[in-house]
Amino acid sequence: MARRLGYIAARIMKMNYVNMLKTAQAVSKKCDKSFADIVKDMVHCGMKYQAGYYDYQEFEFYLLNEGQRETYLTRGKNNAIILKYNNKKYMPVFDDKIAFNKVFGKFLNRDWLDLNESSVQEFVKFIKKHRDIIAKPADGVGGAGVEKYTIQNPDDVKEIAALYEILKKKKQNLIEAFIVQHPDMNVMYEGSVNTLRMFTFCKDGKGCFLQAILKIGNGGVVDNFSSGGMYTFVDDRGIVDVPAIDKDDNQYIRHPITDTKIVGFQVPMFAQAVNLVKKAAEVVPQVAYIGWDVAISEDGPVIIEGNCFPGVFQKRASFSKDKTGIIPRYREYMEV
C-alpha cells in the first residue's frame, strides 16, 4: 500500500496537467461524455488502478466497468512488477547494448563489433564481410541514434577508416551485421526490420512466455512506435488478430504503404521465436520480467535486445470481445 501511495504521489507531482486536460477533451468528444465526467473518471482510475491519463485513453478505460478495469495492466502496476521482480543490481546488462551482446551473444545469431575495443583494421575486416551494417549508441532508446550504412566499395580502406572515425565521434560504437529479414516479413514492409516485442517471466529458473506484439515500420528505417512505426498483437500461434495502431491513434487493417493485410498475418517461425526468448529469459533470472525485441531473419529468429522496463502493451477495450486486459495471463506466472 505504501509503495502504491508513493507512486501516486510521484505521478501527481510530475503530471503534465495541460496534456491531461487535452486528453480528457479528446476522449470526451470521442465517447460523447462530458469533459467534467471524464476528468473525474480519470482521477478515479489514477487513484484506484494507478492508470495515468495515457493509460486511460490508450486502453479505453471509459468503455470499461470496474471489474474489467481490474484486469488491465497500467503503468503503475507495471512499475510494481519491475520493482518486485527485477533486481537493480543486474539491470545494467540490459541498459548497455554492448554489455547485452556480450552476455546474450549465443542468442543474437549475427556478427557484431564493439568499436571501443576494435581497431580500424578489425573494422575494415568486418566491413569486407558485411557491406550493410547497423550502427547504434550503446545507451540509445526508442531507436534514437540507430542508422544503417551501406559500404559501396568494401575495398576502399581509406573510406572505411574515415567511417570508423565518424562512428566513434557519433558514439555509435555498437556495429552489427544488417539483419536480412524473412521474405514474409518483407512482404509486410521492407523498409525496416519489423520486430516482435516478446514478453517473458522467469519463474523458479524457468522461462515462461507471456505475450507478443508485432512492430511494423511505416515509411522509416526503424519500426519503433515513437519513430513513426505502428504495432499490433499476435496470438499464441503468431497470427495478428487486431488492427495495428500508430502514435496518432490511426488504425490499420492493411499496411498503408504496401497494402499487405495486417489482420490475419502469420509471423513466420513464431514457435522458434517463443522457444528462443524462453531460453534467453533463464540467463539472468534475477531480472525476471523482460521484453525482448526479436527479428525473424532468413535463417530464423534473432534477439536484438532485451528490455528490463518492457513497457505496457495490451489490447484496447474495443479490440477485445470480453474487454479483458493482460493481468489474468500475467497472474498465471506472478503476483500482480
Side-chain angles (χ1 to χ4, degrees):
M1 177 61 73
R3 181 177 291 173
R4 176 180 173 183
L5 292 175
Y7 173 81
I8 292 171
R11 292 302 301 159
I12 290 173
M13 293 294 292
K14 296 178 180 179
M15 182 79 71
N16 185 326
Y17 289 97
V18 172
N19 282 349
M20 174 188 172
L21 295 177
K22 285 182 179 178
T23 301
Q25 194 170 41
V27 171
S28 173
K29 291 179 180 178
K30 186 174 183 179
C31 66
D32 196 29
K33 294 181 180 179
S34 76
F35 172 76
D37 284 344
I38 293 298
V39 171
K40 181 180 177 181
D41 197 37
M42 277 185 172
V43 172
H44 165 70
C45 289
M47 297 296 291
K48 187 171 183 179
Y49 307 107
Q50 302 174 63
Y53 62 83
Y54 187 75
D55 291 326
Y56 188 92
Q57 179 188 45
E58 184 178 12
F59 305 129
E60 300 174 326
F61 265 53
Y62 49 89
L63 297 179
L64 303 173
N65 61 39
E66 297 295 278
Q68 292 164 338
R69 288 171 171 177
E70 286 282 2
T71 70
Y72 274 75
L73 185 67
T74 61
R75 278 154 183 78
K77 291 179 180 180
N78 195 60
N79 288 343
I81 293 173
I82 292 166
L83 283 170
K84 184 171 184 176
Y85 293 109
N86 289 0
N87 190 320
K88 286 185 178 180
K89 284 176 56 180
Y90 297 87
M91 285 187 181
V93 71
F94 295 93
D95 297 331
D96 186 303
K97 290 179 171 58
I98 292 173
F100 177 86
N101 279 19
K102 291 178 179 179
V103 173
F104 291 94
K106 69 178 182 179
F107 301 99
L108 304 180
N109 298 325
R110 65 189 179 281
D111 292 336
W112 65 280
L113 200 67
D114 176 7
L115 291 191
N116 293 314
E117 300 178 354
S118 303
S119 65
V120 174
Q121 291 74 22
E122 288 171 312
F123 183 62
V124 169
K125 185 178 179 180
F126 190 90
I127 293 300
K128 285 183 178 292
K129 185 177 179 182
H130 304 288
R131 290 181 57 178
D132 294 320
I133 62 171
I134 294 292
K136 306 175 181 179
D139 58 354
V141 295
V146 177
E147 293 186 79
K148 178 186 177 185
Y149 295 88
T150 298
I151 313 305
Q152 299 299 330
N153 184 2
D155 294 320
D156 189 338
V157 176
K158 186 176 180 180
E159 179 187 353
I160 296 172
L163 177 60
Y164 174 87
E165 295 300 332
I166 290 171
L167 294 174
K168 286 184 71 70
K169 186 176 181 180
K170 295 172 71 174
K171 296 185 178 180
Q172 293 175 316
N173 292 311
L174 175 57
I175 310 302
E176 297 179 339
F178 181 73
I179 297 170
V180 179
Q181 68 181 345
H182 191 281
D184 289 355
M185 300 298 273
N186 267 338
V187 169
M188 176 59 70
Y189 178 71
E190 64 180 359
S192 72
V193 176
N194 308 302
T195 61
L196 294 159
R197 171 64 64 87
M198 307 187 75
F199 293 77
T200 60
F201 185 76
C202 190
K203 183 176 182 179
D204 300 325
K206 183 178 180 181
C208 306
F209 173 68
L210 299 174
Q211 66 164 334
I213 67 165
L214 174 63
K215 298 188 288 183
I216 307 168
N218 185 18
V221 297
V222 293
D223 61 359
N224 296 76
F225 195 59
S226 58
S227 302
M230 61 182 85
Y231 75 89
T232 185
F233 294 83
V234 298
D235 63 18
D236 287 343
R237 300 166 297 168
I239 299 175
V240 175
D241 54 4
V242 296
I245 59 173
D246 63 18
K247 65 179 181 180
D248 295 320
D249 205 31
N250 297 308
Q251 296 183 19
Y252 303 94
I253 294 176
R254 307 186 75 91
H255 196 287
I257 295 176
T258 66
D259 198 40
T260 300
K261 190 176 179 182
I262 294 174
V263 177
F265 177 77
Q266 171 69 65
V267 175
M269 303 182 180
F270 185 74
Q272 294 97 309
V274 170
N275 289 332
L276 184 72
V277 296
K278 285 167 66 175
K279 291 177 182 177
E282 298 168 1
V283 175
V284 186
Q286 297 86 354
V287 182
Y289 179 46
I290 302 173
W292 307 92
D293 287 337
V294 177
I296 309 298
S297 76
E298 290 181 315
D299 301 317
V302 302
I303 288 180
I304 297 174
E305 64 181 30
N307 302 272
C308 53
F309 290 88
V312 182
F313 293 92
Q314 67 205 316
K315 294 174 186 176
R316 55 179 51 186
S318 58
F319 286 171
S320 173
K321 291 181 180 179
D322 58 3
K323 294 183 172 59
T324 299
I326 197 65
I327 281 182
R329 177 70 175 258
Y330 276 32
R331 282 181 174 155
E332 295 176 22
Y333 306 100
M334 69 179 89
E335 294 181 6
V336 185

